[in-house]
Amino acid sequence: MTQPLLALQAAIVATLNGDAELVALLGGAKTYEQAPAATIYPWIAFEEMRARDNSVSDFPGHELRVSLLCVSRQPGSAEALTIAARVVELLDDANLTLDGHRLIHLAATSVDLIRAGKDPVRKARISLRAVTETI
């Protein structure tokens, strides 16, 4: 049986790489588990994933926390935040199909802009919370 984090990750990648508007913003289907070293900006990658048991009675389930990074090298924050806004549109309250699990709820809980000193890279972090049930 597929772990719930891996099932959610696969569904998110498929959803984001399958959206024509987001693919146009990124210049290609560039949502990754981990971006390859030579990937041209902008792109999206998973930053963190956590799962905890959320079983109720006879219903096994999990609460999942996932953060995605929308990474840009454009001056300012506009590109990273525009990409993040589209990701939130696609994933907040989405009805994704997960292998071996049923998605009960998926919510975008925050978007944070990360600027590291003089580094020209701008990152928008999207935090997601999901509740799943094992089927």
Side-chain angles (χ1 to χ4, degrees), residues 56-75:
V56 179
S57 189
D58 291 332
F59 300 100
H62 293 86
E63 177 186 21
L64 311 175
R65 299 286 179 149
V66 173
S67 59
L68 298 170
L69 289 178
C70 303
V71 184
S72 169
R73 282 187 74 86
Q74 290 295 318

Side-chain angles (χ1 to χ4, degrees), residues 67-124:
S67 59
L68 298 170
L69 289 178
C70 303
V71 184
S72 169
R73 282 187 74 86
Q74 290 295 318
S77 307
E79 183 177 57
L81 290 173
T82 299
I83 293 166
R86 182 62 185 158
V87 171
V88 168
E89 266 185 77
L90 292 168
L91 297 180
D92 191 46
D93 205 27
N95 185 19
L96 306 181
T97 301
L98 308 185
D99 182 27
H101 302 272
R102 179 176 299 112
L103 182 61
I104 306 300
H105 184 67
L106 178 62
T109 58
S110 67
V111 175
D112 303 301
L113 185 65
I114 304 165
R115 299 179 78 170
K118 294 181 182 180
D119 185 356
V121 174
R122 299 292 182 255
K123 300 174 185 175

Side-chain angles (χ1 to χ4, degrees), residues 13-89:
V13 169
T15 299
L16 299 184
N17 282 340
D19 180 70
E21 184 177 334
L22 183 60
V23 168
L25 288 171
L26 296 172
K30 296 191 289 185
T31 298
Y32 306 101
E33 176 182 350
Q34 180 175 345
T39 303
I40 297 171
Y41 294 94
W43 46 265
I44 299 169
F46 286 78
E47 178 185 40
E48 231 178 24
M49 299 192 318
R50 292 179 280 153
R52 73 177 183 94
D53 188 324
N54 196 34
S55 299
V56 179
S57 189
D58 291 332
F59 300 100
H62 293 86
E63 177 186 21
L64 311 175
R65 299 286 179 149
V66 173
S67 59
L68 298 170
L69 289 178
C70 303
V71 184
S72 169
R73 282 187 74 86
Q74 290 295 318
S77 307
E79 183 177 57
L81 290 173
T82 299
I83 293 166
R86 182 62 185 158
V87 171
V88 168
E89 266 185 77

